[in-house]
Amino acid sequence: MGRHEIHCRYFSQEDLLGSGCLDLSMAMEASKEAIKSFHAGDIIFPEKIVQIFNDDTQERINCLPATFKKDGICGVKWVSVFPPNPAKHGIQNLSAVIILSEIEHGFPIAFMEGTLCSNMRVGAMGALAARYLAREDSTTIGIIGAGEQAKMHLIAMKTAIPSLRECFVAAKSVSEEEEFVRQMSPIVPDMQVSGTETSLEAAVSPADIIVTATSAQAPLLKAAWIRPGAFYSHVGGWEDEFAVAKLCDKIVCDDWNTVKHRTQTLSRMYQEGKLSDDDIHADLVDLVTGKKAGRESPDERIYFNAVGLAYTDIAIAYAMYLRAREAGMGQDLKIQHEMIFEHLHLKDWVRT
Ligand SMILES: NC(=O)c1ccc[n+]([C@@H]2O[C@H](COP(=O)([O-])OP(=O)(O)OC[C@H]3O[C@@H](n4cnc5c(N)ncnc54)[C@H](O)[C@@H]3O)[C@@H](O)[C@H]2O)c1
């Protein structure tokens, strides 16, 4: 190996899956530690860079970096969000890749598929919140939406609350619900997974845990359907009527200061003067560090909204990298053999 060779490891989605990286416990633990590190000042977390290509459809590519000083890891998620993709082309909306570098010499160590990590992060945040906010004896989950986030959320919630036995899913079409049932039933074999023939109320009204993960921008979830003791994880944009947040005894966010400047239901309420800082019980960090209480009674209805703390993506990606490398997965990528002017044949390659 040449003195100036630089190598990094490439992991496809299949490499990551094959080495056991679809592990929501691992993702929850990585997210929890990352939240604590961030609040201890151990993470460099610059603003994301957003490039929007179409204002109407919001087709965009975002660049989200973060550095974990103690681990000596700097990473970036390069994520494409193309909302028309599913309806127009029958392909996924979100796709991502992640680069990790060490910060001793500054060289890249991994280039990996990032959609799996990105979707796991969304599920892990909801599941981490559920650990503190859902009833530990919850048996029933009701999900509105049957897409990628809804599926990952089911695995995440089952990991956080193993007593779950029944899942009802309501989507825009029966065929999507059927696909959800077909794909998810073998993954959660001790659960009964059923569609509701698009009845949102039928999915939600028996549920101890409610998830909305839709592409709708409409008040789908009604306060009247939410039973006492329910925990609600809001994943999409605007998908519940304002009365839901008003009904809930506690509102918790991953980070309220970020949420209030976005376009989620809570953000809309804040911007319309219908919700104030005082209405927010806690951020996730307050629960993780024990600064604030989670659930305090079996009858509380609790609302959780996460819009995404991108440093947690890098924390999960690093945990995946360590596991996949340990399993011997991935391929070596040679970035360079030697430094530019060390190449013996450089004179033949230079164009002047
Ligand atoms: N909070 C976060 O950190 C985060 C991260 C990624 C994505 N998201 C959001 O999560 C949402 C879901 O993403 P996805 O990748 O699962 O999308 P997807 O396109 O795979 O699935 C969307 C689902 O919404 C359902 N839906 C749409 N309108 C509906 C209606 N009126 N009634 C019932 N169901 C309806 C569709 O049937 C579909 O099952 C999107 O809004 C996305 O922007 C949030």
Side-chain angles (χ1 to χ4, degrees):
M1 177 158 156
R3 203 160 68 87
H4 294 129
E5 274 189 31
I6 300 178
H7 291 255
C8 92
R9 224 160 164 77
Y10 165 69
F11 300 98
S12 68
Q13 187 176 100
E14 291 70 25
D15 293 331
L16 299 169
L17 290 170
S19 47
C21 287
L22 179 40
D23 176 346
L24 269 298
S25 291
M26 177 184 80
M28 275 192 277
E29 192 52 33
S31 304
K32 186 174 156 184
E33 290 310 310
I35 290 170
K36 288 200 237 165
S37 298
F38 179 70
H39 288 270
D42 288 333
I43 298 178
I44 305 172
F45 186 42
E47 280 293 307
K48 68 178 169 187
I49 297 168
V50 179
Q51 298 177 80
I52 298 176
F53 314 119
N54 184 324
D55 286 333
D56 297 333
T57 60
Q58 288 292 303
E59 284 160 282
R60 60 194 183 273
I61 294 183
N62 294 350
C63 172
L64 302 110
T67 296
F68 287 72
K69 291 190 261 181
K70 275 198 190 131
D71 293 315
I73 290 296
C74 174
V76 63
K77 179 171 83 159
W78 182 256
V79 55
S80 307
V81 182
F82 277 62
N85 272 357
K88 217 164 142 189
H89 307 294
I91 54 176
Q92 70 202 57
N93 168 5
L94 186 147
S95 63
V97 291
I98 290 170
I99 299 172
L100 300 177
S101 294
E102 43 81 9
I103 58 170
E104 197 186 340
H105 308 103
F107 293 155
I109 56 169
F111 175 64
M112 57 208 280
E113 192 283 323
T115 314
L116 177 65
C117 173
S118 197
N119 287 3
M120 280 172 63
R121 186 261 306 159
V122 185
M125 295 304 262
L128 192 55
R131 280 242 166 104
Y132 297 94
L133 302 172
R135 287 175 56 136
E136 271 177 45
D137 60 354
S138 297
T139 59
T140 306
I141 180 168
I143 306 181
I144 301 181
E148 297 302 290
Q149 302 301 341
K151 289 169 192 166
M152 196 60 85
H153 245 72
L154 174 57
I155 305 179
M157 289 299 178
K158 175 67 178 163
T159 306
I161 310 287
S163 57
L164 284 173
R165 289 285 173 271
E166 197 154 31
C167 170
F168 295 106
V169 62
K172 226 172 163 180
S173 69
V174 172
S175 62
E176 263 190 293
E177 292 175 2
E178 285 170 352
E179 186 188 69
F180 184 100
V181 172
R182 186 176 54 76
Q183 291 180 343
M184 298 312 294
S185 295
I187 295 173
V188 286
D190 66 336
M191 289 185 75
Q192 176 66 42
V193 184
S194 325
T196 61
E197 297 186 337
T198 75
S199 165
L200 310 187
E201 182 175 1
V204 167
S205 54
D208 305 308
I209 295 180
I210 299 162
V211 176
T212 54
T214 75
S215 48
Q217 289 294 336
L220 302 179
L221 175 65
K222 305 271 183 275
W225 303 339
I226 302 181
R227 58 192 276 188
F231 165 68
Y232 168 40
S233 177
H234 173 115
V235 178
W238 177 30
E239 26 185 29
D240 49 324
E241 59 178 11
F242 289 180
V244 172
K246 289 284 175 200
L247 173 74
C248 285
D249 300 285
K250 284 183 177 135
I251 300 173
V252 176
C253 296
D254 58 348
D255 182 63
W256 168 237
N257 268 326
T258 308
V259 170
K260 69 185 179 187
H261 296 116
R262 297 282 181 87
T263 53
Q264 270 68 13
T265 308
L266 295 182
S267 332
R268 286 166 187 263
M269 291 176 74
Y270 175 77
Q271 286 150 21
E272 290 180 25
K274 291 178 175 139
L275 200 68
S276 74
D277 293 348
D278 294 339
D279 295 315
I280 307 305
H281 170 67
D283 281 341
L284 205 44
V285 65
D286 302 318
L287 306 183
V288 163
T289 56
K291 198 170 138 204
K292 293 211 177 139
R295 173 172 290 275
E296 290 166 289
S297 98
D299 287 335
E300 281 179 303
R301 294 177 177 89
I302 304 184
Y303 189 123
F304 176 70
N305 184 202
V307 288
L309 302 171
Y311 62 80
T312 53
D313 285 273
I314 303 303
I316 296 170
Y318 184 49
M320 292 169 106
Y321 160 75
L322 292 177
R323 184 168 288 186
R325 193 188 63 175
E326 177 73 24
M329 292 296 235
Q331 293 168 41
D332 181 64
L333 283 186
K334 184 152 61 169
I335 305 289
Q336 71 174 37
H337 184 64
E338 41 213 348
M339 289 173 67
I340 298 168
F341 292 97
E342 288 173 348
H343 291 100
L344 280 179
H345 304 291
L346 187 65
K347 69 172 176 27
D348 302 327
W349 296 337
V350 177
R351 295 187 185 193
T352 52

